[in-house]
């Protein structure tokens, strides 16, 4: 909750959440017109990467590691 204070003498007038508020200070008689600030926009962010994430690679297990010859294809005859 926000403290609501007089803009002239700084007397605490109340606490709360408000969009618009008009209030007269009982101490100094100043008329206070308050309005809430608009919410700040947060920058759009994508999902955070995990520490162990690796670049995307195909998951075809038939691939051969680099430096090895490809195995012979199996025939179904």
């Amino acid at each position: 909750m926000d403290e609501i204070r007089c803009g002239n003498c700084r007397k605490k007038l109340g606490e709360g959440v408000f969009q618009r508020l008009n209030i007269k200070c009982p101490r100094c008689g100043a008329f206070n017109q308050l309005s809430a600030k608009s919410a700040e926009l947060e920058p759009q962010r994508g999902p955070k990467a995990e520490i162990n994430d690796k670049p995307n690679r195909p998951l075809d297990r038939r691939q051969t590691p680099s430096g090895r010859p490809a195995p012979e294809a199996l025939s179904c005859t």
Side-chain angles (χ1 to χ4, degrees):
M1 285 205 234
D2 297 328
E3 282 190 352
I4 302 166
R5 294 193 173 266
C6 176
N8 189 36
C9 69
R10 304 301 298 159
K11 175 179 173 46
K12 184 175 177 181
L13 302 174
E15 289 184 18
V17 179
F18 60 91
Q19 289 182 352
R20 286 187 147 177
L21 179 66
N22 295 324
I23 189 167
K24 183 177 179 181
C25 177
R27 179 190 288 168
C28 68
F31 190 68
N32 295 275
Q33 294 181 343
L34 307 167
S35 60
K37 296 178 184 176
S38 60
E40 295 179 13
L41 297 175
E42 291 186 20
Q44 293 182 352
R45 292 182 244 166
K48 291 184 178 180
E50 295 292 326
I51 294 172
N52 297 324
D53 278 356
K54 295 182 179 165
N56 293 333
R57 291 180 22 192
L59 298 175
D60 187 1
R61 300 204 186 275
R62 294 175 289 171
Q63 290 181 342
T64 58
S66 60
R68 288 190 183 173
E72 296 293 325
L74 298 175
S75 61
C76 297
T77 54

